[in-house]
Amino acid sequence: MKNIRVILYGVGAVGSLIAKALLEKQGIKIVGVVDIAEDKLGKDLGEVLGLNKKLGVKISKTADSALSKIKADIAVHATSSYLEDTYPQIASIVKKGVNVVSTCEELSYPHLTHPRLAKKLDALAKKHNVTVLGTGINPGFLMDTLVIALTAVCQKIEKIEAVRVMNAATRRLPFQKKIGAGLTVKEFKNKIENKEITGHVGLKQSIAMIADTLKWKLEKIVTEPVQPVTAKKTVKSPYITVKAGNVAGLRQKAEGVSKGKKLITLDFQAYIGAEEEYDAVTILGVPNVKQKIQPCVHGDLGTVAVITNSIPKVINAPAGLLTMKDLPVPSAAVEDMRKYVKIEK
């Protein structure tokens, strides 16, 4: 049995974590790497990952240059949250006949905000007989796929709510900066206005995925403005000290509305000093379902796992642009990864 040949597109903070996890997996071989950062070009992947050894795989600038020299079964894509930015990158991989699993949040359910690009990418994937999937821990699992799975025990559903509360002190410094930790409220609001802080990307996509799966026709999906969460007392992370009254992080809610009724509510909170971390799903219906994971699933570890575990499912899936609701029930691939690959496209 041949190894699954993987090309990495993007080895930044998250991409590097995925790369290290793949190096530990049996049955997978990293055969190529793409990254646009000038300081990484031409370097060995081992050097970029901070390992004390060379891996014999050098960083290329484009998918075309990397895939002109090698063959790959799937690309793990981890660059931007936004489909308009990532579409050219993903399309360049697809045109080489390579499957794609991406961390791009908007790609988790692109039909909502970018229907034209979604249709175009679906057609391109089918033309080249490959599969494209956007996923991750959130969006991709906790506030959509898990919710959908839990609805299976319900005869009737009136309302759905999912809440994620994270203590950002346990996350990377870039994430803490991304949520505005340490800023004054005025600085936070200025960064929101200048779009330096964007809030959580993916709430709309998660709501649309849930609603479409349940065949609910929503009148609108409303994403509330990002709100700062201020510290009641001085709180610290290994990187940032937040004084009382300053911003420890953020909160954002989104709602799926039909006939004036809020059918789906998603509530995302990430801030330094959260006393309780959890992922909770509440379904009001017949029967009611109340599920709570404590502490919340670690974002980086969960993202790496969902991306990695999706590799065989994407390779096995029919061609086209798919979402998590289109694939079999998610599961871990803890053995030799080749054991989970059944179908050759």
Side-chain angles (χ1 to χ4, degrees):
M1 243 186 338
K2 293 182 180 179
N3 285 332
I4 297 172
R5 297 160 300 183
V6 176
I7 183 171
L8 307 173
Y9 198 124
V11 281
V14 174
S16 293
L17 292 174
I18 295 170
K20 290 176 181 177
L22 291 177
L23 290 171
E24 298 295 321
K25 280 285 183 184
Q26 274 191 298
I28 276 191
K29 183 178 181 181
I30 298 173
V31 296
V33 187
V34 178
D35 200 291
I36 61 172
E38 293 292 338
D39 61 339
K40 296 176 184 175
L41 296 181
K43 290 184 178 180
D44 186 89
L45 176 60
E47 181 183 357
V48 172
L49 296 179
L51 306 179
N52 294 320
K53 62 179 179 179
K54 288 192 175 182
L55 300 173
V57 183
K58 292 187 176 181
I59 314 296
S60 300
K61 190 169 187 176
T62 66
D64 285 342
S65 59
L67 291 169
S68 64
K69 307 168 189 173
I70 57 164
K71 289 186 177 180
D73 300 302
I74 190 165
V76 173
H77 175 271
T79 60
S80 170
S81 300
Y82 304 102
L83 186 54
E84 287 185 345
D85 297 333
T86 60
Y87 179 86
Q89 300 170 351
I90 295 169
S92 70
I93 301 167
V94 170
K95 288 175 182 177
K96 293 291 186 179
V98 178
N99 299 293
V100 180
V101 58
S102 174
T103 63
C104 175
E105 285 94 331
E106 287 191 339
L107 188 64
S108 66
Y109 214 72
H111 319 284
L112 177 68
T113 53
H114 298 286
R116 183 186 65 82
L117 287 180
K119 185 176 181 180
K120 189 176 177 182
L121 189 55
D122 181 57
L124 189 66
K126 288 175 179 174
K127 177 182 177 180
H128 293 278
N129 197 34
V130 298
T131 303
V132 177
L133 175 74
T135 190
I137 194 65
N138 184 36
F141 186 73
L142 289 171
M143 298 181 102
D144 39 49
T145 305
L146 177 61
V147 175
I148 291 167
L150 290 172
T151 66
V153 300
C154 298
Q155 298 176 30
K156 297 178 182 179
I157 300 172
E158 297 177 5
K159 186 178 180 181
I160 294 171
E161 180 180 47
V163 182
R164 177 163 170 79
V165 180
M166 303 165 50
N167 180 7
T170 64
R171 296 293 301 274
R172 295 172 283 109
L173 176 59
F175 180 80
Q176 293 175 25
K177 289 184 174 180
K178 182 179 177 181
I179 62 172
L183 300 175
T184 64
V185 173
K186 183 178 180 180
E187 289 170 336
F188 181 90
K189 290 181 177 179
N190 286 338
K191 286 183 177 289
I192 287 288
E193 288 179 9
N194 297 329
K195 297 185 178 179
E196 295 176 58
I197 296 175
T198 57
H200 179 67
V201 180
L203 293 178
K204 283 185 176 181
Q205 286 74 16
S206 293
I207 288 176
M209 188 190 301
I210 295 167
D212 287 354
T213 303
L214 297 176
K215 305 305 178 186
W216 282 355
K217 298 296 182 182
L218 298 178
E219 293 169 359
K220 58 184 177 180
I221 297 176
V222 180
T223 302
E224 296 182 2
V226 180
Q227 298 296 326
V229 176
T230 56
K232 296 179 181 179
K233 60 182 181 179
T234 298
V235 291
K236 297 180 180 180
S237 78
Y239 313 105
I240 295 175
T241 296
V242 182
K243 296 179 180 178
N246 282 354
V247 176
L250 56 78
R251 180 179 188 179
Q252 190 169 21
K253 294 177 70 175
E255 295 160 339
V257 181
S258 179
K259 298 179 181 178
K261 182 180 179 182
K262 299 173 184 177
L263 294 181
I264 305 170
T265 300
L266 304 185
D267 184 351
F268 176 84
Q269 303 175 42
Y271 56 97
I272 293 174
E275 294 181 0
E276 183 184 16
E277 290 188 294
Y278 60 89
D279 292 296
V281 177
T282 301
I283 303 172
L284 298 182
V286 180
N288 292 330
V289 175
K290 292 186 178 181
Q291 173 269 338
K292 194 171 187 178
I293 301 172
Q294 292 177 288
C296 67
V297 178
H298 191 281
D300 288 344
L301 296 176
T303 295
V304 170
V306 173
I307 291 291
T308 302
N309 292 328
S310 294
I311 287 173
K313 295 186 184 296
V314 170
I315 293 175
N316 291 340
L321 172 59
L322 303 183
T323 68
M324 288 294 282
K325 76 177 184 64
D326 304 314
L327 293 179
V329 175
S331 60
V334 292
E335 301 290 339
D336 185 322
M337 190 68 80
R338 294 169 293 185
K339 291 182 178 181
Y340 302 93
V341 178
K342 306 295 183 183
I343 299 171
E344 288 286 340
K345 288 198 186 78

